[in-house]
Amino acid sequence: MFEGDDDDRTGPVRVINGCGRGGVLLLCEHASAHIPARYGGLGLRAEWRDSHAAWDPGALALAQVLSSALNAPLVAGAVSRLVYDCNRPPSSPSAMPERSEVVEVPGNVGLTPEARAERVESVYAPFLAAVEAQLGRAPRALVTVHSFTPLWHGTPRETEIGLLHDSDARLAEAMLARAPQGRVVHLNRPYGPEDGVTHSLQLHGKGLPNVMIEARNDLLTTSKDVQTMAMDLLAMLTPALAEVADA
């Protein structure tokens, strides 16, 4: 999908449909579970290497469908968030977590300042540069795409779609008002700003209408699931973008 000169598939970040002129900039910070060889697999147990702790399953596929439908550039992380979480500032302990839910990350324990700086420079900085380059094309809105696990510490989550916002609630609230019947859609659930998850919105929003979309990952397991979720999101997002633009 999205073959072409503007689809950069190398390095710590991918820019997909980079010449899209739809007016929306999409981000997918946790698009990959890839751990570069130099990090020795972070010492992870085999069963955790492709788990929700390492990436957001289904989020990239969902973001790609949205990118195509909206003709929107998509900046996607190509390195596991356990190496560096591009939705966290370098000062945050969760940028290079020693533990994620029940997952222990031995390779992140006791990192030296030099080791932390290397990850900032090799993973986070290129992601920021790619986002800034797209912001230079003057998009009219910023949308970040994530997925979340249906169980957290063994507790089921009812939410199917979370619409998260920081100080600017315009786009999230306009989408919520158009939630499809039969979907469980919540504002600032299963996470909210108090959980430190709105870093990208704060840093890159720059006054743009913005929203962080969280889709439950058990609803993204097949291509049909992804298409259905994308259509439900577009039914909320497209008119919400128009409403916010006209306000």
Side-chain angles (χ1 to χ4, degrees):
M1 190 178 291
F2 302 117
E3 298 288 350
D5 292 340
D6 63 346
D7 185 350
D8 181 2
R9 296 175 179 271
T10 63
V13 59
R14 286 180 62 193
V15 178
I16 298 166
N17 195 21
C19 295
R21 297 181 179 276
V24 176
L25 174 58
L26 294 168
L27 308 184
C28 188
E29 298 97 319
H30 306 150
S32 175
H34 174 62
I35 300 174
R38 65 184 178 275
Y39 300 117
L42 296 178
L44 290 173
R45 288 162 42 186
E47 63 265 34
W48 299 127
R49 292 173 190 162
D50 196 42
S51 73
H52 69 86
W55 69 315
D56 282 357
L60 178 59
L62 179 60
Q64 287 177 313
V65 176
L66 297 177
S67 172
S68 181
L70 297 167
N71 190 23
L74 166 61
V75 179
V79 174
S80 171
R81 64 178 171 191
L82 294 180
V83 175
Y84 188 96
D85 187 333
C86 288
N87 191 30
R88 300 292 191 278
S91 59
S92 172
S94 57
M96 293 161 261
E98 296 182 1
R99 182 184 178 93
S100 177
E101 194 191 11
V102 299
V103 177
E104 302 285 350
V105 191
N108 287 351
V109 175
L111 288 175
T112 65
E114 293 77 15
R116 296 181 70 87
E118 186 276 332
R119 296 194 194 182
V120 171
E121 182 64 24
S122 64
V123 180
Y124 184 52
F127 184 86
L128 292 187
V131 176
E132 288 297 322
Q134 287 298 325
L135 288 171
R137 302 179 69 238
R140 297 188 298 274
L142 175 71
V143 177
T144 73
V145 182
H146 297 255
S147 72
F148 65 97
T149 177
L151 292 174
W152 183 251
H153 290 284
T155 301
R157 287 161 152 171
E158 176 192 19
T159 303
E160 295 181 345
I161 298 172
L163 303 173
L164 283 56
H165 67 82
D166 198 82
S167 58
D168 184 350
R170 291 174 294 168
L171 191 51
E173 290 179 347
M175 289 180 68
L176 183 65
R178 295 167 170 84
Q181 289 189 347
R183 281 290 192 195
V184 183
V185 184
H186 292 135
L187 204 64
N188 281 341
R189 286 173 58 185
Y191 313 107
E194 67 278 3
D195 300 307
V197 300
T198 54
H199 171 63
S200 288
L201 300 185
Q202 293 174 346
L203 182 63
H204 305 301
K206 301 183 187 301
L208 298 173
N210 59 79
V211 66
M212 178 177 176
I213 294 171
E214 285 274 6
R216 209 172 69 200
N217 67 29
D218 62 324
L219 303 174
L220 300 173
T221 57
T222 68
S223 296
K224 183 178 178 180
D225 289 342
V226 170
Q227 289 287 341
T228 299
M229 179 64 74
M231 294 307 102
D232 285 347
L233 288 172
L234 288 165
M236 293 186 279
L237 179 59
T238 304
L241 286 166
E243 175 186 314
V244 171
D246 293 340

